[in-house]
Amino acid sequence: MKKMKGEEPQLFSSIKIFNNPQRHLHNLMVCFIFFGLGLVIGIASSFYINDLPFIFNLKLLQEKEYLVNIKSPSPILSSSKRSQPLSPPSILTNTQQSPPSPPLLPPPIDTPKTTQQSNRVQGPKNPIEQNLVLEQKSVEREGLKEFLKPPNAMHDMNDEELLWRASMVPTISNYPFEQTPKVAFMFLSRGDLQLAPLWERFFAGHEGLYSIYVHTQPFYNGNAPPNSVFHNRRIPSKAVEWGKFSMIEAERRLLGNALLDINNTRFVLLSEACIPLYNFTTIYKYLMDSKTIFVESYDDPSNVGRGRYDQRMMPQVTIDQWRKGSQWIEVDRQVAVDIISDTKYYNLFKLYCTPDCYSDEHYIPTMVTLKFWKKNANRTLTWVDWSKGGPHPMRFGRYEINVDMLKSLRNGGECLYNGKPSNICHLFARKFTYLSLNRLLMFSKKAFQY
């Protein structure tokens, strides 16, 4: 075979390719680039193919002109007008009325079943969560109960601290707990309550409806037996002298301690020589249903009335406003708070009502007349016998006590109770000595029904 001019053998052409590696590398890179482009196109096509059913369904919805608009439904334009732009919604004038928009959800049907289901949904479904909620409510109730729990009768507060704390009044009238109104029985005594067995019979079976507070002389260290209602009911006391201003301080001290119990609603001041003339149920209902307080207050023109007035009390208290009355009072919570919070008349009487003035007969009657005369029944609930005259009422011992005598103590005539005539005027009586106790216990069932 003849070799043509200018033509090289094939062997040498292959060798020439391998002798040019740069050109070979360039060809490989071009191949990889085309391969990568194909791979990207393939992946993109797969996503497009997956979306074909959604696009196809959407196209069908548009062709059938379905309404898919929640806020203001308007028909979708037909296929012949799809190329035209959507017109903006028309603006309504004040005279036009917009069509009511349909509710997103149908209103619930008010049936017992639905109510029960809604209650179950609102509460915790997990039993552990339910127990936690119950425990939390229990802790809150215990916290409120502990907060409202009055301190022990014997405490370490002085008079200033006591009256400050007792003068606090809640501004919200509705209590956040179930209240049981109680009567506070406040005894002003020298030492032992010698008629305690009679009072224990009176209180028996009525726990939770009364509170007891006893003020004694500070040197008294006795205490009632543990099974007595008077056990540990003595309050921090100071010396009291008959006829002096220390009587008023002792009364305010008793009221202050009684006010610490938020459940105490009515407050009765008694002496160690007092007895109840009716059973507990009658006295409790009488006090709780009363619309008035019971503070005796009258104008006495004699030397033991106006004769005790000091002109230095003017103008806060004039002689025409000067009153006299029994120190054995019964008041509600509002008046009790005002008595222990008073500084205007308290300081005035402390300065100018000297021992011969007997402030315990004038301070509270005068103050109540000036501030609460509209709600005062203007009489005392404690009966006494002043028939023999003198600075002290008659005392009753063993030989004066019988059933007829005790029943006669109730016959105090007629009086007004809540604006209507009533034959129950006195709930308590005094002065009864220790010698009368046995006969009182003997006849109390027949005479007083306790």
Side-chain angles (χ1 to χ4, degrees), residues 115-132:
T115 304
Q116 293 176 2
Q117 290 177 354
S118 62
N119 292 337
R120 287 197 296 268
V121 171
Q122 292 176 1
K125 297 180 180 180
N126 193 338
I128 298 178
E129 295 180 359
Q130 292 179 352
N131 292 334
L132 291 176

Side-chain angles (χ1 to χ4, degrees), residues 127-138:
I128 298 178
E129 295 180 359
Q130 292 179 352
N131 292 334
L132 291 176
V133 172
L134 292 176
E135 290 178 1
Q136 182 180 0
K137 291 182 179 180
S138 177

Side-chain angles (χ1 to χ4, degrees), residues 100-173:
S101 57
L104 298 179
L105 293 175
I109 301 175
D110 190 10
T111 60
K113 183 177 180 180
T114 305
T115 304
Q116 293 176 2
Q117 290 177 354
S118 62
N119 292 337
R120 287 197 296 268
V121 171
Q122 292 176 1
K125 297 180 180 180
N126 193 338
I128 298 178
E129 295 180 359
Q130 292 179 352
N131 292 334
L132 291 176
V133 172
L134 292 176
E135 290 178 1
Q136 182 180 0
K137 291 182 179 180
S138 177
V139 170
E140 292 175 355
R141 286 193 297 268
E142 289 297 326
L144 179 62
K145 182 178 179 181
E146 188 66 23
F147 176 77
L148 297 173
K149 182 180 179 182
N152 294 329
M154 186 59 66
H155 51 76
D156 58 357
M157 290 186 289
N158 58 34
D159 285 354
E160 184 180 2
E161 295 169 340
L162 168 67
L163 298 183
W164 173 81
R165 181 176 176 183
S167 64
M168 295 181 179
V169 179
T171 56
I172 299 177
S173 58

Side-chain angles (χ1 to χ4, degrees), residues 264-403:
N264 285 334
T265 305
R266 309 291 300 202
F267 303 80
V268 183
L269 181 63
L270 302 162
S271 75
E272 59 189 0
C274 288
I275 64 169
L277 299 180
Y278 296 87
N279 57 31
F280 183 89
T281 303
T282 302
I283 292 179
Y284 180 86
K285 181 175 175 56
Y286 191 94
L287 297 179
M288 289 301 169
D289 293 345
S290 175
K291 299 177 182 179
T292 64
I293 60 174
F294 299 92
V295 177
E296 186 181 48
S297 177
Y298 57 92
D299 182 14
D300 186 354
S302 67
N303 291 333
V304 295
R306 290 197 175 194
R308 298 173 181 175
Y309 174 77
D310 193 322
Q311 293 184 355
R312 290 175 293 180
M313 292 186 175
M314 294 180 62
Q316 288 86 353
V317 177
T318 65
I319 192 170
D320 294 331
Q321 297 170 333
W322 181 258
R323 293 293 183 270
K324 181 181 179 180
S326 171
Q327 75 175 109
W328 312 111
I329 61 172
E330 194 281 332
V331 296
D332 59 12
R333 193 170 187 88
Q334 179 192 6
V335 178
V337 171
D338 201 88
I339 290 174
I340 67 160
S341 305
D342 172 52
T343 57
K344 177 180 178 180
Y345 302 108
Y346 176 83
N347 293 330
L348 195 68
F349 273 77
K350 190 174 184 179
L351 284 174
Y352 302 120
C353 195
T354 59
D356 292 338
C357 173
Y358 302 102
S359 54
D360 56 295
E361 295 182 1
H362 296 280
Y363 165 63
I364 293 181
T366 301
M367 192 205 73
V368 167
T369 300
L370 290 173
K371 302 186 69 174
F372 302 102
W373 64 272
K374 288 185 178 180
K375 67 184 306 183
N376 185 21
N378 200 20
R379 60 185 176 89
T380 179
L381 295 178
T382 303
W383 179 90
V384 289
D385 185 359
W386 291 98
S387 60
K388 291 187 177 182
H392 300 284
M394 181 178 176
R395 296 164 61 93
F396 298 97
R398 176 181 179 183
Y399 297 104
E400 291 84 7
I401 305 300
N402 55 63
V403 175

